[in-house]
Amino acid sequence: MKGRYFAFNPGLCVLLIPLGAIAHKNGAPCARCPRNAHCTNASSCRCDPGFTSLSGKVIFSTSSEVCTDINECGPPLYMSCGSLAHCHNVEGSYYCECAPGHELLSGGTKFQSEKENTCQDVDECSSGKHQCHNTTHCINVKGSYRCYCHHDWVARSRPLHGLNFTICEEVPFPSWTSPSGVNSQDLMQEVDELLETPGDLETLAPSEQHCVATHLLVGLEDVLRVLSKLLPKGPLTAHASAGTGLSLTVQDQGIGDVTLGQSQAKMQLKWDVAQESNDLGPSVVGLVSTPGMSKLLAEAPLVLDSKQQTVLREHRDFLAGGFPVLLSDVVSAFVSNKDTQNLSSPVTFIFSHRSVTPGPTQKVFCVFWEHSQDGCGHWSTTGCRMAATGDASTTCQCSHLSSFAVLMAHSHVQQEDPMLAVITYVGLGLSLLCLLLAALTFLLCKAIQNTSTSLHLQLSICLFLAHLLFLTAIDQTKIKLLCAIIAGALHYLYLASFTWMLLDGLHLFLTARNLTVVNYTSVSRFMKRLMFPVGYGVPALIVAISAASRPSLYGTPTRCWLHTDKGFVWTFLGPVCTIFSINLAFFLMTFWIVKNKLSSLNRDVSTLQNTRMLTFKATAQLLILGCTWCLGVLQVGPAARVMAYLFTIINCLQGAFIFLVYCLLSQQVREQYGKWFRGVRKAKAEPENYTLSSGTVSDASKHSAALHSSNSSHPPRSERLLPGFTESPVPKP
């Protein structure tokens, strides 16, 4: 028996060893370990993940130790779940959950760490997750939603399925049969007190205040229209203490014009505008003034109609980013006819407001409150125009009825300087002429043709095309697509010009470093391989990426150039500043090389024999390479006007700089110009000499004929004279 036991024991050990390892790996509970802990060996325990021991020990051996839950959401850990989310602790772990009214992009709400946070607002109204009754109107707000009643309806709280729901009911105005109970004075007083002391309305966000104002204006207008039909015929006025007032008149089949007035506004319209086509009853015309409405309509945006936007673009004016300021009281006009969107004759409003003189960056507009689909609204100028304006009064004419006011908006006024325009056209014309002469010189003067000349030729061509397109097409903004194409072409040509300038600076540096002639073999071979792919390829790549990412930002309302929105103009200024910095480094290194090493060479070794001339060319090249556009970036603050003049003058003379530095200051080019001028003068002189020679030969022929007829006895002498005249084109004196 004992032998069998020992024979079996090794096999049993082989089976138990891996099982023990698996049990240890899986944290199998030990008899001596407390709850929420596992054994690490035969005598030690360790708390499970998410738990910690009361003693603070990681490894312990006493069975009386207690493992407590770690609150990852509280101190000292404070696990961050990111914005729009909250941390929730559970036993042994935690999780993150999006805040109420938000959910992950995947549609879930729970996640584990801040890296997984994609919480965003849930539009309960469009997704159908709201609990608004079908009689209400749902409006989404950040993290929640609101239930509103439509105008002409009132809210009622009723139990439904065990819950209290807000249900909207239409106001049964037609059932009111007691005109004696209508008190317009009390109604105006209630509205006046509401606007004077809005209470909790002031705590709402501006957008929600605009919604409340919209419902209040529409509801007040509709209520007064219905109530006015129950009033006796004739005029009626009502005023409240804070300025809210009502003026209306009721008349049977009115003919002619009607005028209603408040303390700060007057309205004039024709009676046939107020009358409904199928209504034979009395006509009503009313005007309500609500000065306190300006509190709810503060920070309301202004939207211009397309015609006024076109006018502003033509005058170089654009609305600034601030909110417009109300100058007058808000007045609401109503008539019996509910179809007032396109009146047969315009309605005239005369507003009296505080005295104001608009500055050069301010404009006065006649506006109305336009209701939007979400139940809110904004100021708009559609259908309204300003007939006249003064310091303290403004006359407006509108083709529809609503709530109206006069407001003043700030605008950017871009006034063109006539002197700058003259400098631009004259300077660009001179630059184009110089660039054309320089390009012809680089192309036709064989004595100077090398790598450097090729760089200057491409630079001259790009600048010539860019200046020509700028001069002829920069203002072609009527066709948006054409303007975008022009802006893209200018973007490419100017970037190509700067790229060729960069290659020119690189070539100058390599030439100075090798201390040899400009057409040194290795430098020339390197530049020939590099210049065309870089000179035209890099600008094309930049423009292609820019056009693919923001195609709508090519072209502005006034210029066919890059838009400044979203920093898009830096797709041009960024490469320009980079090229300018690199060329500045090239210039400094070239100057240092020339100063230290050129003095040790013979003055006749290379074309770099004159240090001062090389320095001057590098300095002039640096100006061409970007100083002008740096001045354009600095057109801000009080020095903007000076910088604008410097930018325009220097930028327009780029062609003159190139022609002066690379043509007129080159001895080889001057010698070639001399040969060309002498050839032109010689070509002009040859026809004159030919004419003189022909006349001389003709006279000699006549003279010889006379001699032959008069003295035929001496033919050898005449034969000797004639060849002398014909052999020489110009007879010797």
Side-chain angles (χ1 to χ4, degrees), residues 508-560:
L508 179 64
F509 166 71
L510 294 177
T511 302
R513 190 191 64 176
N514 286 277
L515 294 175
T516 184
V517 295
V518 176
N519 58 354
Y520 178 70
T521 305
S522 62
V523 175
S524 177
R525 188 182 304 113
F526 173 74
M527 293 304 299
K528 285 182 179 179
R529 293 178 179 177
L530 179 70
M531 61 182 186
F532 282 102
V534 174
Y536 289 113
V538 172
L541 180 63
I542 296 175
V543 174
I545 295 175
S546 303
S549 60
R550 295 275 192 262
S552 60
L553 297 182
Y554 275 100
T556 69
T558 56
R559 292 287 185 269
C560 295

Side-chain angles (χ1 to χ4, degrees), residues 626-636 640 642-648 650-651:
C627 281
T628 53
W629 286 94
C630 291
L631 293 174
V633 177
L634 296 176
Q635 293 184 32
V636 293
V642 177
M643 293 298 176
Y645 271 92
L646 290 176
F647 169 76
T648 303
I650 299 177
N651 197 43

Side-chain angles (χ1 to χ4, degrees), residues 438-461:
L440 292 176
T441 300
F442 299 144
L443 189 63
L444 300 177
C445 186
K446 296 183 179 180
I448 63 170
Q449 287 183 353
N450 49 37
T451 303
S452 179
T453 308
S454 299
L455 293 171
H456 300 155
L457 175 61
Q458 302 304 321
L459 171 61
S460 301
I461 292 175

Side-chain angles (χ1 to χ4, degrees), residues 225-297:
R225 181 185 293 110
V226 174
L227 294 181
S228 60
K229 293 185 177 182
L230 306 176
L231 296 174
K233 298 175 185 177
L236 174 67
T237 58
H239 296 280
S241 57
T244 302
L246 167 67
S247 295
L248 63 83
T249 181
V250 182
Q251 184 174 335
D252 280 333
Q253 299 297 318
I255 300 175
D257 298 338
V258 60
T259 301
L260 295 178
Q262 287 291 318
S263 59
Q264 301 295 326
K266 183 185 293 185
M267 179 181 68
Q268 298 175 348
L269 77 162
K270 296 183 179 298
W271 270 111
D272 56 359
V273 171
Q275 184 66 38
E276 288 184 299
S277 58
N278 57 353
D279 188 4
L280 301 179
S283 301
V284 177
V285 177
L287 181 67
V288 181
S289 177
T290 52
M293 194 65 68
S294 59
K295 298 179 182 179
L296 297 179
L297 298 181

